[in-house]
Amino acid sequence: QSTGHSVSLFRRQESIGSGVIVDPDGYIVTNAHVLSGAVRIKVAFTGPPLRNDAADPGELETDEAKIVGVDLESDLAVLKVDRKGLTAIKFMNSDRLRQGDLVLALGAPMGLANSMSLGIVSAPARSLGEQNPMVYVQTDASINPGNSGGPLVGMNGLLAGINTFILSQSGGNEGLGFAIPANTVQEVYLQLRKNGQVKRGELGVF
């Protein structure tokens, strides 16, 4: 199955993050913290050429993106670009993830666009304590700065989660990566797309 086009997000020409296309009409999910302080957001599409007449199949195409909605509590945001017919990824039921499942982390670590790393699900539902009520998918797939907002993909080609942060003493990857589960991503995405905000009473994961 196709995992869709991955995207790199640039702001102020000094910061880069990742995102994933979840609707063919140009809707993209990323982390809220990727957009923090953004004045202008450009999306660079990676993967197969978006146009048949592209002079260079490896050339990145960029679009301006508009913010549809941001939810700081879940650290998720939805963007919209003015394109149709994009290849979008489908959501998996992340409740079915099991310890040891193989997963792929995609994104732009250290600005290296269209990068992929392989790992396993270290824990399918990791809680990090009372100060953080979220539940995450823990993985040892290599995640570094620039991966934030990118997809964690299962071997069935479906979205297992959105890569969000790492725990590290060195600042680099130490095999402790965390992704927002796909079920949470889908619920937040649908509310942000419809209302521009998330009503906590309607989101059972909080």
Side-chain angles (χ1 to χ4, degrees):
Q1 298 187 32
S2 172
T3 57
H5 284 94
S6 59
V7 296
S8 300
L9 309 178
F10 299 88
R11 62 176 177 85
R12 290 184 178 175
Q13 296 185 341
E14 66 184 28
S15 180
I16 186 171
S18 302
V20 61
I21 300 165
V22 293
D23 186 283
D25 288 342
Y27 287 91
I28 296 168
V29 172
T30 185
N31 282 140
H33 75 258
V34 170
L35 308 182
S36 178
V39 175
R40 184 182 182 193
I41 302 168
K42 295 188 72 174
V43 174
F45 296 88
T46 59
L50 298 178
R51 303 190 315 266
N52 291 330
D53 62 346
D56 179 3
E59 181 181 356
L60 298 184
E61 300 181 45
T62 61
D63 273 5
E64 295 284 339
K66 296 180 180 179
I67 298 176
V68 175
V70 175
D71 183 56
L72 296 178
E73 288 195 42
S74 64
D75 194 17
L76 289 169
V78 176
L79 301 174
K80 177 72 167 63
V81 294
D82 188 20
R83 284 184 186 260
K84 294 186 180 296
L86 295 173
T87 303
I89 198 169
K90 295 181 179 179
F91 294 90
M92 75 176 294
N93 181 355
S94 53
D95 287 343
R96 295 180 178 175
L97 283 174
R98 296 291 180 263
Q99 191 173 51
D101 285 352
L102 290 172
V103 286
L104 299 168
L106 292 90
M110 305 299 184
L112 300 173
N114 206 22
S115 294
M116 177 187 294
S117 59
L118 172 68
I120 64 168
V121 172
S122 303
R126 175 70 72 193
S127 175
L128 297 177
E130 295 181 359
Q131 293 184 345
N132 188 339
M134 289 282 291
V135 173
Y136 298 94
V137 178
Q138 181 184 335
T139 179
D140 70 349
S142 184
I143 296 174
N144 287 285
N147 274 115
S148 290
L152 187 72
V153 181
M155 292 297 102
N156 54 8
L158 302 179
L159 183 70
I162 294 292
N163 302 316
T164 300
F165 68 95
I166 60 175
L167 293 180
S168 172
Q169 294 181 338
S170 65
N173 177 265
E174 295 180 8
L176 295 171
F178 297 88
I180 302 168
N183 288 358
T184 301
V185 175
Q186 186 172 32
E187 290 186 42
V188 172
Y189 157 66
L190 290 174
Q191 286 204 46
L192 288 178
R193 178 170 173 174
K194 181 179 180 180
N195 305 314
Q197 61 182 349
V198 173
K199 296 180 180 179
R200 295 261 94 72
E202 297 180 6
L203 193 59
V205 296
F206 291 98

